[in-house]
Amino acid sequence: MKKVPPRQEHEITQLLAEWREGNQTALDQLYPLVYDELHRLARRYMSRERKGHTLQTTALINEAYVRLVDQRRVQWANRSHFFAISAQIMRRILIDHARRYSYAKRGGGARQVSLDETATVVRGNLSEFLRLDEALKSLAELDPRRSQVVELKYFGGLNNDEIAGVLKISKNTVTRDWNMARAWLYRQLTGSAPN
Amino acid sequence: MNPQRWQQISRIFNHAISLDGAARSAYVKEKCGADDDLKAEVERLIESHQSAENRDFIGGLAVEDLAEQFTEGEEKHALHKGQQFGSYLILDHLGSGGMGDVYLANDSRLDRTVALKILAADVSADQRRMQRFRQEAKVASSLNQPNILTIYEFGEVDGLTYIAAEVVDGETLRDYLRNNRLKLSEILDISIQILAALDAAHEATIVHRDMKPENVMIRRRDRVVKVLDFGLAKFIKKKRPSPGNLSSDEEAITQFKTAPGLIMGTVNYMSPEQAQAKPIDARSDIWSTGVMLYEMVTGTKPFGGSTAAHTIIEILEKNPTPLTHAGGPELPAELQRIVGKSIAKDPNERYQTAKDMLIDLRNLKKRLELDVEIERSSASRHAATGSVQAETVEQSRATHRDTREISKRKLGLGLALLVAVVAVIFGVNVVRNMQSTPAIQPASNATLPVPPAVERTVTYWITVQKFRDDKPYQDPFYLKGEINFEANYRIRLNVRSDRPGYLYVLNEGPTDRTNELQYVTLFPSWTANSGSEVLPADRTVLIPEKSWFRFDDEQGVETVWLIFSEQLIPELDGIKAFASDRSKGLITDATLNHSVNGFLISHSADKVTVERGEKHTILKTTQNVLVYPIRLEHH
């Protein structure tokens, strides 16, 4: 895994500025950098899990963000954007991967576990994961802010304080948005009939 | 759902979940009033909220939930270790190529380890072309040429098309070139074997079309060359849909134009006719082989522009730097001539068959070996050769057509020595031949290696004896040459020839301290044929005569080399010294092992016709020397 040298860090700051000005390619350029970090995160997570260690994922993801950009050197406005963009990119990376992977798995013994049968839903279940993404898109049409709370929390790994900062809403609102969004998504995934 | 409704639901929901039991029910009932739909919607959401909470739904991080697949996805394989795929157990992932992944797998039906190539879904989608590819690959494989990778099976499991092929423990010529500095003798060995594979395929009217270092493998233990993917090239290039009714090569060039990165690696070895989308034939493979030969010698590709298009222009127009400039002045001019002829722009000016190029390379190799022999002998033999007469030299020049091509540097010294040394070497043989078997014609004509066009037939069969508790168990039985042996099987080899000659049977033994391969002589043997390597016509020798061979504990394929010649083989002369009870046949002389290895490699590409009967395997050749590897699989 390549370390992100300072030059790239500067690049990220620049990219964020460009993105704010509506340069979509800046987002694409950020993709490989975030990919590296996310991948590193997943690997460390897996190795810790295999060894049975207690997981400090929050610490891991903070480290990933720090490695991407020294946030003390980024203006607050940029920082919010940075989180928002990163969460968005992380979502894209994981969904892209799940899509490719489930295609490769097709016919090769993909796990087909329905949501009701598993204790930790979504985990390791590619089709559920992809359906969750679809449901989240529907939610974005219905209620963009609540969808973004989910994106920042579940994909971007931000805590409620950070989300409140990024979305400029109160912490309580974040909690309420999260509860409502999660219940709605759960219902979408388990079907319209009550379970 | 309209936004107002959504907001209404969420307000009721959010407050409701902060309440408990009866208070919650009462609150929902009060807020929803007579709107039953609203009430039902809120209640379902509350229920979902509780389930989500209990199950920690999306409570962690997405990257955690997908970590396993995400990290595993580093290698985007369809199959994983330990997975059962039809009758194959996947043991390891060996690599990924343009057309799919390659795995090491065990075929449980035969308990045989195979290389399993899974073709990418888009490759295998076209049934008609798939069928043709199968045919070509099958034909190439069935040629039974030792330098063509053997294909065991084609099949389909769970919609994935696979090819099961022989496992080659080695590296591609591409990696081999990267990791090793090749000597000229080695380059010639490799080229000769590649051409032997092509010669066999071309005779069966199969053109490879994608000869390149990535499609040539060098086996680690004995450096035998295996050419891969016969038939696949045509297939791959055909698979993509293209407008109109184009021939395969027009498609290839179209593809190249639209997506240079796609077949970039292939462009360097493309023949001019291939690059111009003209019809191609076997001579296109000769071009590609010539390009590889050039690259092996010089370390650089003769045609290599900064982009694929530039490379194509070079292929069409550029005359590459002569080998003697690019590869050093020490290179024989004959090699330059051979390479030049193989990469003539006009196919009509090229070698017309792989066999022609093969013969030239083989002659060059022989001559270089002779040069080395002369140099080595010159010091010690100088006194003996001083009296060679001029007229003998002239005679030699007239009869030995290759003599004039010996490099000028050595000509002065070499030519004078040639006849005398050859006479000395073969003179000894004549004496030997006379002593051991009067039946064999004195090899006085051995100075001129002109093979008489007669067919020699060597027949072998294998007797198997089962053992139990180290005692023979049941009656012995016969089996065909290449079968799987159980661990408790012991074997005996039976060999017969229709002509008298020298027989050698060798097998690979343990490596020495410096990790060099050591051979074991199974014949000549101190226990068989009175210790002699000379086999009279139509007499069967049993190897071993009174006991049985047993396999070592290591599973795998045992290669037993069968070598027969009507004349003594200098490279193998010396083996007999190790056919003693003391050394048990293990050849411990490193120089001799090296010489044996070199001999086997240079002849491994020889053409041998193999006829398998129920019991016997009949080997036929018109060559001077018959070299055939008997493969015995045991486990």
Side-chain angles (χ1 to χ4, degrees):
Chain A
M1 191 55 54
K2 283 165 288 181
K3 273 196 170 180
V4 181
R7 191 182 51 80
Q8 284 190 342
E9 188 184 290
H10 175 74
E11 235 170 63
I12 290 171
T13 316
Q14 181 62 35
L15 287 170
L16 288 171
E18 282 179 31
W19 185 76
R20 284 191 71 196
E21 286 153 19
N23 184 353
Q24 265 297 323
T25 59
L27 198 66
D28 295 328
Q29 287 170 32
L30 207 51
Y31 190 99
L33 301 175
V34 176
Y35 187 97
D36 280 356
E37 281 310 314
L38 200 59
H39 206 264
R40 183 171 171 275
L41 195 69
R43 283 217 305 241
R44 286 180 66 179
Y45 175 83
M46 284 309 290
S47 80
R48 280 166 176 236
E49 195 181 58
R50 277 188 212 107
K51 290 175 193 153
H53 289 173
T54 320
L55 301 167
Q56 294 289 339
T57 317
T58 328
L60 285 181
I61 199 145
N62 282 339
E63 205 181 298
Y65 282 128
V66 169
R67 283 164 56 89
L68 276 171
V69 59
D70 182 353
Q71 287 151 53
R72 287 165 308 184
R73 290 167 54 189
V74 181
Q75 294 173 352
W76 175 245
N78 274 345
R79 212 181 129 182
S80 300
H81 278 290
F82 168 65
F83 284 131
I85 294 162
S86 297
Q88 196 184 330
I89 293 174
M90 286 177 185
R91 176 175 168 191
R92 219 172 87 188
I93 289 168
L94 290 172
I95 296 299
D96 280 356
H97 181 80
R99 225 174 253 135
R100 270 204 310 275
Y101 198 84
S102 68
Y103 178 75
K105 277 271 184 183
R106 180 182 47 85
R111 272 182 266 179
Q112 294 289 342
V113 187
S114 92
L115 192 53
D116 296 327
E117 293 166 19
T118 167
T120 316
V121 282
V122 175
R123 170 155 302 183
N125 187 328
L126 295 169
S127 59
E128 290 302 340
F129 196 81
L130 293 173
R131 280 179 61 207
L132 174 71
D133 182 59
E134 289 304 315
L136 199 54
K137 280 183 198 159
S138 308
L139 180 62
E141 284 168 25
L142 204 61
D143 189 336
R145 195 185 70 203
R146 284 195 171 96
S147 158
Q148 220 185 345
V149 168
V150 174
E151 188 172 271
L152 289 168
K153 196 178 174 81
Y154 182 60
F155 288 95
L158 300 194
N159 63 30
N160 286 3
D161 276 339
E162 289 164 332
I163 296 169
V166 171
L167 297 179
K168 297 180 183 68
I169 53 178
S170 77
K171 210 176 141 188
N172 282 339
T173 308
V174 174
T175 309
R176 278 199 300 271
D177 280 1
W178 170 254
N179 282 333
M180 175 69 180
R182 184 175 61 161
W184 189 84
L185 289 169
Y186 187 87
R187 228 197 88 204
Q188 291 301 110
L189 262 66
T190 47
S192 52
N195 58 339
Chain B
M1 193 183 299
N2 68 50
Q4 286 81 18
R5 183 77 164 177
W6 171 256
Q7 291 306 332
Q8 192 184 9
I9 293 169
S10 63
R11 267 197 304 276
I12 302 170
F13 165 85
N14 272 319
H15 189 70
I17 58 169
S18 67
L19 303 169
D20 286 327
R24 179 185 290 175
S25 306
Y27 174 77
V28 173
K29 199 174 175 184
E30 183 210 319
K31 285 287 169 188
C32 297
D35 191 341
D36 286 342
D37 284 348
L38 180 66
K39 186 164 171 283
E41 188 70 29
V42 170
E43 278 171 350
R44 277 203 291 270
L45 267 182
I46 291 170
E47 224 175 301
S48 295
H49 167 74
Q50 276 166 342
S51 297
E53 191 80 16
N54 292 340
R55 292 181 170 183
D56 198 24
F57 174 64
I58 59 173
L61 265 175
V63 66
E64 291 174 356
D65 287 340
L66 213 65
E68 195 182 334
Q69 288 87 345
F70 194 47
T71 49
E72 212 181 304
E74 272 178 317
E75 315 132 19
K76 292 167 198 129
H77 325 144
L79 304 177
H80 54 82
K81 264 187 213 180
Q83 185 177 338
Q84 194 71 38
F85 178 75
S87 62
Y88 295 94
L89 177 69
I90 305 300
L91 303 175
D92 205 354
H93 178 256
L94 294 178
S96 299
M99 59 229 150
D101 293 327
V102 185
Y103 301 88
L104 190 70
N106 185 270
D107 183 351
S108 57
R109 291 165 300 183
L110 297 166
D111 195 16
R112 168 167 73 183
T113 307
V114 304
L116 202 66
K117 183 177 277 185
I118 310 286
L119 296 183
D122 57 336
V123 174
S124 54
D126 189 327
Q127 288 296 324
R128 193 172 54 85
R129 283 169 182 156
M130 194 61 214
Q131 184 57 35
R132 197 168 55 210
F133 156 57
R134 280 181 185 216
Q135 271 168 9
E136 287 209 355
K138 254 185 193 160
V139 171
S141 173
S142 68
L143 295 173
N144 225 335
Q145 208 283 341
N147 303 113
I148 296 177
L149 187 82
T150 304
I151 291 174
Y152 299 131
E153 191 192 23
F154 292 83
E156 201 183 299
V157 170
D158 294 338
L160 292 175
T161 306
Y162 67 86
I163 305 168
E166 140 186 37
V167 178
V168 180
D169 176 26
E171 50 190 346
T172 64
L173 180 56
R174 167 66 61 232
D175 292 333
Y176 197 73
L177 286 174
R178 206 174 280 139
N179 302 331
N180 300 281
R181 232 187 105 83
L182 272 61
K183 285 187 294 191
L184 184 54
S185 61
E186 202 176 356
I187 293 169
L188 293 176
D189 280 338
I190 292 169
S191 312
I192 285 168
Q193 293 182 68
I194 291 172
L195 284 159
L198 287 178
D199 179 36
H202 291 172
E203 272 188 21
T205 68
I206 295 165
V207 180
H208 190 291
R209 286 165 182 260
D210 194 21
M211 290 298 293
K212 55 183 176 183
E214 288 79 2
N215 277 336
V216 174
M217 285 209 68
I218 317 276
R219 194 157 65 189
R220 206 182 309 280
R221 65 183 154 91
D222 52 11
R223 309 226 167 102
V224 163
V225 166
K226 298 275 178 183
V227 178
L228 321 181
D229 291 344
F230 270 98
L232 202 51
K234 186 177 184 175
F235 172 73
I236 291 295
K237 282 169 188 164
K238 274 227 155 195
K239 79 184 164 70
R240 281 161 209 282
S242 69
N245 196 17
L246 300 171
S247 84
S248 62
D249 297 291
E250 280 172 307
E251 282 182 47
I253 196 79
T254 307
Q255 195 185 96
F256 152 68
K257 277 175 184 158
T258 52
L262 213 60
I263 51 167
M264 196 71 147
T266 322
V267 178
N268 296 96
Y269 304 89
M270 251 189 195
S271 64
E273 59 271 28
Q274 219 167 356
Q276 286 172 290
K278 289 179 180 166
I280 67 160
D281 55 28
R283 294 172 298 179
S284 179
D285 284 349
I286 289 172
W287 168 284
S288 307
T289 309
V291 173
M292 280 197 275
L293 181 51
Y294 186 101
E295 189 179 350
M296 281 191 270
V297 173
T298 65
T300 51
K301 298 179 181 76
F303 313 104
S306 52
T307 68
H310 285 94
T311 303
I312 298 258
I313 291 166
E314 287 196 7
I315 289 170
L316 297 177
E317 290 173 1
K318 182 185 144 189
N319 285 317
T321 317
L323 278 187
T324 37
H325 291 180
E330 290 294 302
L331 286 169
E334 170 67 355
L335 187 62
Q336 165 62 33
R337 189 191 67 81
I338 294 172
V339 171
K341 192 169 174 184
S342 63
I343 54 174
K345 308 279 185 210
D346 180 353
N348 293 321
E349 288 172 18
R350 233 173 269 160
Y351 280 107
Q352 297 300 294
T353 66
K355 189 173 264 122
D356 290 344
M357 187 174 170
L358 175 68
I359 289 169
D360 277 4
L361 282 171
R362 235 186 226 157
N363 285 336
L364 174 63
K365 181 179 149 59
K366 274 183 199 160
R367 206 159 52 249
L368 294 174
E369 283 167 358
L370 206 52
D371 279 5
V372 171
E373 197 65 47
I374 289 165
E375 278 195 343
R376 195 186 291 155
S377 310
S378 62
S380 58
R381 306 283 185 200
H382 199 264
T385 57
S387 60
V388 173
Q389 288 171 4
E391 59 190 67
T392 324
V393 174
E394 283 308 310
Q395 195 187 346
S396 157
R397 188 175 289 172
T399 49
H400 197 295
R401 74 175 179 90
D402 292 337
T403 305
R404 64 189 156 79
E405 285 163 17
I406 292 179
S407 69
K408 287 199 175 69
R409 185 170 53 83
K410 288 172 184 162
L411 203 61
L413 173 67
L415 202 57
L417 298 176
L418 176 68
V419 177
V421 173
V422 166
V424 170
I425 294 169
F426 287 97
V428 175
N429 297 348
V430 173
V431 177
R432 264 176 200 270
N433 290 349
M434 299 295 276
Q435 281 174 341
S436 48
T437 49
I440 296 177
Q441 290 298 308
S444 57
N445 61 341
T447 46
L448 301 174
V450 179
V454 276
E455 197 169 58
R456 292 160 183 79
T457 304
V458 173
T459 307
Y460 80 86
W461 63 99
I462 291 166
T463 319
V464 183
Q465 172 67 61
K466 286 189 190 177
F467 269 73
R468 190 182 265 181
D469 302 326
D470 258 339
K471 290 189 186 70
Y473 162 70
Q474 298 176 343
D475 289 335
F477 56 97
Y478 299 111
L479 276 180
K480 284 196 289 183
E482 292 174 32
I483 55 133
N484 284 300
F485 292 93
E486 303 290 335
N488 60 342
Y489 284 13
R490 298 192 188 172
I491 63 158
R492 174 183 291 155
L493 190 61
N494 311 264
V495 184
R496 188 170 65 198
S497 160
D498 68 336
R499 286 164 174 269
Y502 290 81
L503 175 70
Y504 301 88
V505 180
L506 298 170
N507 150 250
E508 287 161 17
T511 53
D512 68 8
R513 266 168 295 161
T514 59
N515 216 24
E516 287 290 321
L517 185 62
Q518 298 181 109
Y519 287 90
V520 177
T521 169
L522 306 181
F523 191 91
S525 155
W526 69 104
T527 62
N529 202 33
S530 316
S532 169
E533 71 270 54
V534 179
L535 189 64
D538 295 322
R539 198 177 92 189
T540 303
V541 286
L542 313 182
I543 309 170
E545 212 162 68
K546 296 194 176 76
S547 55
W548 302 90
F549 287 130
R550 57 193 296 177
F551 294 106
D552 56 18
D553 294 335
E554 210 175 297
Q555 300 187 357
V557 179
E558 202 79 51
T559 304
V560 175
W561 292 92
L562 198 78
I563 303 134
F564 180 83
S565 170
E566 285 178 61
Q567 283 145 16
L568 184 136
I569 300 166
E571 292 96 328
L572 305 185
D573 187 36
I575 283 176
K576 216 172 142 182
F578 295 93
S580 72
D581 192 21
R582 197 171 52 84
S583 61
K584 302 282 184 214
L586 179 66
I587 300 169
T588 47
D589 177 347
T591 316
L592 182 58
N593 277 315
H594 195 77
S595 153
V596 170
N597 188 241
F599 173 81
L600 291 176
I601 289 170
S602 64
H603 284 277
S604 62
D606 285 355
K607 189 158 179 160
V608 177
T609 313
V610 184
E611 291 170 18
R612 289 193 203 288
E614 272 310 293
K615 171 181 151 189
H616 301 91
T617 301
I618 301 168
L619 309 171
K620 287 183 180 165
T621 184
T622 51
Q623 312 263 359
N624 269 344
V625 180
L626 182 146
V627 176
Y628 182 75
I630 304 173
R631 290 157 48 85
L632 305 169
E633 261 184 61
H634 64 100
H635 47 87

